[in-house]
């Protein structure tokens, strides 16, 4: 194909071809997306036009190949949206989002296509295909069936109408949250700042003056301000006000109240899965998750709930003692929790985060990643020659990844470390090209992205323990991409309650002796982090776990209950109150996300009956980490490491995750390791 549009062009050059990130032009996006979608639909038409009996080879294989051009265009689109966004791009994004969603429906509702897939699937049940092909067919078939492809015309129409209605309810739900974050800003005067840090005061003054309240100090109604304010402010009445504003978002009985939205959403979800023959939303959602059903999920959540709420009682008693010793003459209320917890933390652990930072240099941490990749995965990271691989920003660095044993080339790793305007916040991993072999060997292009503040030339970049942990976490996702050994692209897909395991487990190498002694060294003296400091960090990790685990669990359990019960006559507010009371929710804290602003669950479907997934993956993480601790060479045990890569990383989604875990551990994961990690008593 000859074209002047860079985004449409095949990736050429070294390393199996690389994206032309240095030639991206924003005017190319719209035409490239349009041509990409058109070609994808033509690919699909070619499949359905085939008059031969549907087979894996003539139906599923071309589906796996379809949309190659669009796929490339979307990688560039992803860079614009996450790494180098601009008002100009967001305008195009707003214009293209509905067009792309309509394009998706054209495929997912294509009856001729589904009928061919169904034939291949039905035949495979009689005459099984090869194991990985069978898994592809199953995943593709389920994807269509779970989204209504098998319904008759009348039900299909209702299904589509429900989705349309839901999508506007989701938008309304999120907009109401944004509105209430704007609507309830608290303004402080100079004499009300006691306890707050210099940097927080500065930032509060700036926000107040931006809002036309010169000389005052604003606390926006968001977590990033609420949380430090509750932790440090000495003004109890103001803490109460800030707490109340935050946890009442969209629950104030006004035009931004979300209770009615939640009721409607729950009813529509129930009706929609009813069309597919399911009794409740949770049954439908969990069928292809690792947890499989709501009983398994509730078993886990309830077990941890008992321990975490018991710990809350102890934490409250510790805090009450501090308050009494101070002569504060109060009973601990929810707006006191973080404040007194901080005082207990200082007394018990006395961990100075600035001291910790001096041992955490980003360059050394990057070397630590490569060291772990070498020891555990047999990977070698080599910087590519300057200028040999195009990047979208001068600070992005690229490494070649190869196998140490056989020298085989695996892929490229891009690192975009620094914050800048137009880059989304937080840290994430992404893939520009996935591994597959069915259509010629494809090598991996993976990236890690963070938002560190770029240091002055020659200065070391020092980061916090949390940021160092996140740096390893995201690298775990990248290693999961690199280790893929699947034949078909569909098998690279993620399973919501499993996909955080590979990243969480990698975090555990940060505090291994080998990493500490070689890489966690003081930026001036070069001495490794002292043992006492490491021990302090480890001890502090179980601190306040009663609070953290209970506030999380309360939200996770409510998410499950909302999607199991019949919502027909539900009063959402009363249901939340009564359910929490039945659970014996401690009165000193609230759900991490109360129902009227639980965006994970009600501003879309990504985390509906999936909020539990964080803990589900953490059970595996803790249990796998214990396997390493128990093995002869600990976290550097070659045999166990290679078993982990082989069973839990390389297969991606080519087998049932529960089965993969059994291959690794010889049994299912037990909850005990997670309980020990959080400092909770175990059953034994
Ligand atoms: Zn992650």
């Amino acid at each position: 194909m000859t074209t002047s549009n860079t985004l449409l062009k095949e990736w050429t050059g070294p390393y199996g071809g690389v994206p032309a990130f240095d030639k991206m032009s924003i005017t190319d996006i719209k035409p490239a997306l349009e041509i990409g979608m058109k070609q994808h639909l033509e690919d699909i038409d070619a499949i359905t036009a085939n008059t031969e009996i549907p087979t894996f080879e003539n139906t599923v294989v071309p589906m796996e190949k379809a949309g190659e051009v669009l796929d490339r265009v979307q990688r560039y689109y992803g860079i614009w949206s996450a790494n180098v966004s601009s008002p100009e791009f967001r305008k195009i994004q707003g214009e293209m989002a509905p067009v792309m969603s309509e394009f998706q429906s054209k495929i997912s509702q294509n009856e001729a296509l589904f009928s061919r897939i169904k034939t291949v699937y039905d035949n495979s049940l009689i005459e099984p295909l090869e194991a990985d092909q069978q898994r592809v067919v199953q995943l593709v078939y389920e994807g269509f069936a779970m989204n209504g492809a098998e319904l008759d015309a009348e039900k299909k129409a209702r299904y589509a109408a429900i989705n349309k209605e839901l999508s506007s309810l989701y938008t309304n739900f999120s907009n109401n949250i944004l509105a209430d974050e704007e609507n309830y800003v608290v303004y402080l005067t100079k004499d009300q700042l006691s306890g707050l840090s210099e940097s927080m005061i500065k930032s509060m003054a700036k926000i107040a003056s931006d809002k036309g309240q010169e000389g005052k100090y604003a606390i926006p109604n968001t977590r990033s301000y609420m949380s430090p304010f509750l932790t440090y402010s000495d003004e109890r009445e103001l803490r109460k006000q800030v707490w109340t504003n935050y946890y009442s978002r969209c629950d104030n009985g006004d035009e931004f109240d979300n209770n009615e939205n939640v009721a409607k959403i729950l009813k529509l979800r129930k009706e929609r899965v009813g069309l597919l023959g399911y009794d409740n939303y949770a049954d439908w959602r969990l069928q292809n998750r690792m947890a499989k059903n709501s009983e398994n999920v509730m078993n886990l959540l309830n077990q941890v709930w008992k321990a975490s709420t018991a710990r809350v009682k102890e934490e409250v008693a510790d805090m009450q003692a501090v308050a009494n010793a101070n002569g504060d003459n109060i009973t601990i209320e929810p707006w006191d929790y973080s404040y007194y917890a901080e005082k207990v933390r200082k007394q018990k652990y006395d961990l100075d985060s600035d001291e910790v930072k001096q041992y955490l240099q980003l360059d050394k941490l990057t070397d630590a990643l490569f060291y772990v990749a070498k020891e555990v995965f047999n990977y070698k990271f080599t910087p590519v020659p300057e200028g040999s691989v195009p990047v979208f920003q001068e600070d992005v660095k690229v490494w070649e990844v190869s196998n140490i044993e056989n020298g085989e080339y695996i892929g490229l790793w891009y690192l975009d470390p620094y914050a800048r305007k137009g880059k989304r916040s937080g840290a994430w991993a992404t893939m520009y090209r996935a591994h597959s072999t069915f259509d010629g060997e494809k090598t991996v292009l993976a990236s890690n992205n963070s938002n560190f503040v770029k240091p002055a030339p020659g200065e070391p970049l020092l980061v916090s323990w949390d940021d160092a942990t996140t740096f390893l976490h995201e690298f775990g996702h990248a290693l999961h991409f690199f280790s893929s050994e699947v034949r078909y692209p569909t098998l690279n897909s993620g399973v919501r309650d499993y996909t955080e395991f590979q990243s969480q487990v990698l975090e555990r190498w940060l505090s291994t002796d080998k990493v500490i002694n070689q890489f966690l060294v003081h930026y001036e003296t070069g001495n490794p982090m002292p043992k006492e400091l490491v021990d302090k960090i480890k001890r502090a990790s179980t601190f306040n776990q009663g609070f953290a685990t209970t506030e999380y669990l309360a939200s996770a359990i409510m998410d499950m209950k909302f999607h199991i019960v019949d919502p027909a006559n539900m009063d959402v507010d009363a249901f939340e109150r009564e359910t929490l009371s039945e659970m014996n929710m401690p009165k000193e804290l609230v759900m991490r996300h109360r129902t009227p602003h639980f965006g994970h669950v009600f501003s879309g479907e990504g985390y509906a009956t999936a909020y539990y997934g964080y803990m589900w993956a953490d059970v595996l993480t803790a249990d796998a980490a214990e396997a390493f601790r128990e093995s002869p060479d600990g976290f550097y045990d070659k045999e166990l490491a290679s078993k982990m890569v082989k069973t839990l990383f390389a297969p991606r989604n080519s087998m049932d995750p529960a089965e993969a875990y059994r291959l690794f551990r010889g049994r299912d994961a037990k909850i005990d390791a997670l309980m020990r990690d959080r400092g909770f008593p175990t059953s034994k």
Side-chain angles (χ1 to χ4, degrees):
M1 183 180 53
T2 49
T3 170
S4 58
N5 190 321
T6 306
L7 311 187
L8 291 168
K9 285 183 184 160
E10 211 157 313
W11 296 350
T12 56
Y15 305 109
V18 291
F21 286 137
D22 56 341
K23 297 199 177 68
M24 288 161 62
S25 159
I26 203 156
T27 50
D28 282 344
I29 304 178
K30 218 179 123 179
L33 280 172
E34 280 162 354
I35 292 171
M37 287 187 279
K38 189 167 156 275
Q39 290 190 356
H40 194 162
L41 292 175
E42 284 166 8
D43 291 342
I44 300 292
D45 286 344
I47 299 170
T48 55
N50 192 327
T51 51
E52 289 165 33
I53 294 170
T55 63
F56 186 86
E57 288 305 323
N58 73 20
T59 302
V60 180
V61 167
M63 271 186 79
E64 292 288 284
K65 277 190 205 166
E68 217 187 314
V69 171
L70 180 62
D71 196 63
R72 284 202 297 266
V73 177
Q74 279 175 328
R75 299 309 127 205
Y76 291 108
Y77 189 85
I79 294 292
W80 263 302
S81 114
N83 297 70
V84 292
S85 184
S86 62
E88 199 186 356
F89 173 74
R90 283 192 289 275
K91 216 178 127 229
I92 298 170
Q93 201 176 20
E95 203 181 322
M96 293 312 287
V99 180
M100 283 156 78
S101 120
E102 216 173 294
F103 157 79
Q104 279 305 335
S105 316
K106 277 187 194 149
I107 296 178
S108 64
Q109 289 171 7
N110 186 321
E111 288 182 21
L113 180 65
F114 179 66
S115 143
R116 291 188 71 89
I117 294 165
K118 186 164 162 48
T119 306
V120 179
Y121 176 73
D122 288 344
N123 288 343
S124 78
L125 297 180
I126 302 158
E127 218 175 307
L129 299 155
E130 289 176 46
D132 64 338
Q133 297 179 334
Q134 189 70 27
R135 179 85 176 167
V136 175
V137 174
Q138 184 200 331
L139 291 172
V140 171
Y141 170 77
E142 278 173 3
F144 275 85
M146 276 181 74
N147 291 297
E150 277 179 300
L151 299 175
D152 63 33
E154 194 187 327
K155 282 183 175 166
K156 241 184 202 152
R158 180 63 195 143
Y159 193 95
I162 291 174
N163 270 350
K164 200 168 163 208
E165 204 178 333
L166 277 172
S167 78
S168 39
L169 286 168
Y170 296 153
T171 309
N172 187 250
F173 187 92
S174 348
N175 289 343
N176 285 344
I177 299 178
L178 289 177
D180 266 6
E181 289 181 351
E182 285 283 315
N183 292 344
Y184 290 85
V185 179
V186 175
Y187 291 97
L188 272 57
T189 52
K190 210 177 167 83
D191 57 336
Q192 295 176 311
L193 303 172
S194 169
L196 304 178
S197 72
E198 265 321 303
S199 66
M200 182 156 174
I201 292 172
K202 254 193 208 155
S203 147
M204 286 162 59
K206 165 94 171 58
I207 295 166
S209 96
D210 286 351
K211 289 180 182 289
Q213 301 269 349
E214 201 67 49
K216 288 196 175 163
Y217 303 85
I219 309 168
N221 198 20
T222 60
R223 188 176 290 279
S224 52
Y225 284 87
M226 174 278 293
S227 174
F229 189 80
L230 292 190
T231 308
Y232 298 109
S233 170
D234 295 324
E235 300 281 341
R236 190 171 193 234
E237 274 311 303
L238 286 169
R239 288 204 307 265
K240 182 177 178 181
Q241 195 189 338
V242 167
W243 181 92
T244 307
N245 288 350
Y246 187 77
Y247 289 102
S248 309
R249 284 172 303 148
C250 307
D251 197 20
N252 297 305
D254 56 15
E255 58 177 310
F256 305 110
D257 191 294
N258 265 335
N259 284 292
E260 208 40 53
N261 278 340
V262 171
K264 284 185 191 156
I265 288 169
L266 290 170
K267 276 180 212 147
L268 287 168
R269 283 180 181 169
K270 161 111 177 159
E271 187 193 342
R272 198 187 66 197
V273 303
L275 294 172
L276 300 169
Y278 293 89
D279 184 45
N280 62 56
Y281 185 86
D283 284 352
W284 171 77
R285 181 79 281 173
L286 294 171
Q287 59 183 313
N288 57 8
R289 296 285 191 252
M290 184 174 176
K292 298 207 170 57
N293 59 51
S294 44
E295 290 76 54
N296 291 338
V297 174
M298 290 308 292
N299 267 341
L300 167 65
L301 301 181
N302 284 332
Q303 277 184 75
V304 187
W305 176 258
K306 265 191 216 146
S308 74
T309 50
R311 175 56 45 83
V312 164
K313 285 207 177 78
E314 297 170 18
E315 288 172 3
V316 170
D318 281 352
M319 294 190 293
Q320 191 65 55
V322 169
N324 295 349
N326 277 0
D328 288 350
N329 194 26
I330 56 133
T331 305
I332 302 290
E333 298 281 355
W335 43 91
D336 299 319
Y337 210 117
S338 304
Y339 180 76
Y340 286 99
E342 178 60 16
K343 302 215 175 307
V344 175
R345 189 183 69 83
K346 276 222 167 107
Q347 266 184 17
K348 276 197 172 169
Y349 302 99
D350 188 32
L351 188 62
D352 179 356
S353 53
D354 280 333
E355 191 192 345
V356 176
K357 264 188 174 180
Q358 300 182 356
Y359 295 91
L360 300 169
Q361 307 166 62
L362 192 70
D363 285 353
K364 295 274 179 198
L365 284 168
T366 311
D367 291 342
L369 300 183
F370 299 158
Y371 176 75
V372 173
K374 176 177 89 149
E375 294 295 317
V376 181
F377 289 78
N378 270 320
Y379 290 168
K380 184 175 159 195
F381 281 68
T382 318
V384 300
E386 191 82 35
S388 63
V389 174
V391 291
F392 47 82
Q393 214 274 340
E394 56 180 13
D395 291 324
V396 178
K397 295 275 172 285
V398 187
W399 283 261
E400 177 186 339
V401 188
S402 57
N403 185 301
I404 291 172
E405 275 165 16
N406 55 22
E408 203 175 288
Y409 166 67
I410 294 166
L412 292 179
W413 185 62
Y414 295 65
L415 176 65
D416 180 11
Y418 305 130
R420 67 177 163 267
K421 200 161 173 258
K423 187 172 174 180
R424 66 171 252 216
S425 62
W428 69 97
T430 181
M431 191 158 52
Y432 308 141
R433 184 171 61 215
H435 168 88
S436 69
T437 58
F438 83 115
D439 187 27
E441 169 124 19
K442 298 270 192 315
T443 52
V444 180
L445 302 175
S447 85
N448 278 166
N449 308 268
S450 13
N451 271 285
F452 297 112
V453 177
K454 190 178 176 178
E459 295 278 308
L461 200 171
L462 303 178
V463 309
S464 69
W465 185 263
D466 279 355
D467 284 344
T469 306
T470 304
F471 198 52
L472 265 84
H473 176 104
E474 299 306 336
F475 190 61
H477 285 304
L479 290 172
H480 196 195
F481 300 148
F482 286 125
S483 47
S484 171
E485 277 180 7
V486 305
R487 206 165 18 152
Y488 301 99
T490 287
L491 299 178
N492 277 308
S493 57
V495 181
R496 175 70 80 192
D497 55 1
Y498 180 56
T499 191
E500 290 302 320
F501 160 75
Q502 288 80 3
S503 49
Q504 286 176 359
V505 82
L506 207 86
E507 297 171 17
R508 304 295 176 120
W509 271 265
L510 180 61
S511 52
T512 58
D513 290 345
K514 285 186 177 174
V515 164
I516 291 169
N517 293 329
Q518 299 177 79
F519 307 104
L520 307 196
V521 296
H522 195 278
Y523 78 106
E524 281 171 336
T525 66
N527 293 334
M529 187 181 268
K531 177 132 190 359
E532 310 86 75
L533 191 53
V534 178
D535 288 345
K536 250 189 210 174
I537 295 169
K538 285 185 182 167
R539 272 205 312 276
S541 73
T542 60
F543 174 70
N544 219 31
Q545 274 299 335
F547 177 86
T549 304
T550 301
E551 67 158 7
Y552 161 79
L553 279 174
S555 287
I557 293 172
M558 287 305 305
D559 170 31
M560 292 303 298
K561 300 223 167 179
F562 271 122
H563 293 99
I564 294 171
V565 301
D566 184 355
N569 298 306
M570 184 188 285
D571 173 339
V572 171
D573 204 46
F575 183 76
E576 181 194 278
R577 204 168 43 243
E578 285 156 14
T579 309
L580 290 171
S581 146
E582 277 162 28
M583 285 157 57
N584 291 318
M585 176 76 176
K587 66 173 178 37
E588 293 85 2
L589 72 166
V590 279
M591 296 163 70
R592 182 170 171 85
H593 309 279
R594 281 199 56 233
T595 310
H597 47 249
F598 200 170
H600 287 81
V601 175
F602 298 113
S603 64
E605 296 192 37
Y607 278 92
T609 63
Y611 193 65
Y612 76 92
Y614 294 103
M615 182 167 276
W616 191 270
D618 206 21
V619 170
L620 304 179
T621 304
D623 191 62
E626 256 185 21
F628 277 100
R629 245 174 264 133
E630 289 159 1
S631 65
D633 290 319
F635 280 87
Y636 297 90
D637 191 279
K638 292 283 177 202
E639 202 178 313
L640 192 63
S642 112
K643 198 174 183 187
M644 176 178 78
V645 176
K646 200 167 159 238
T647 57
L648 300 178
F649 278 71
R652 299 281 319 179
N653 196 7
S654 65
M655 67 190 298
D656 177 357
E659 217 176 284
Y661 196 81
R662 256 170 251 136
L663 287 178
F664 170 70
R665 199 63 161 118
R667 57 162 174 77
D668 289 328
K670 287 187 202 159
I671 181 183
D672 298 32
L674 172 126
M675 300 290 258
R676 279 190 281 275
D677 269 357
R678 297 183 186 220
F680 299 154
T682 54
S683 45
K684 281 177 276 180

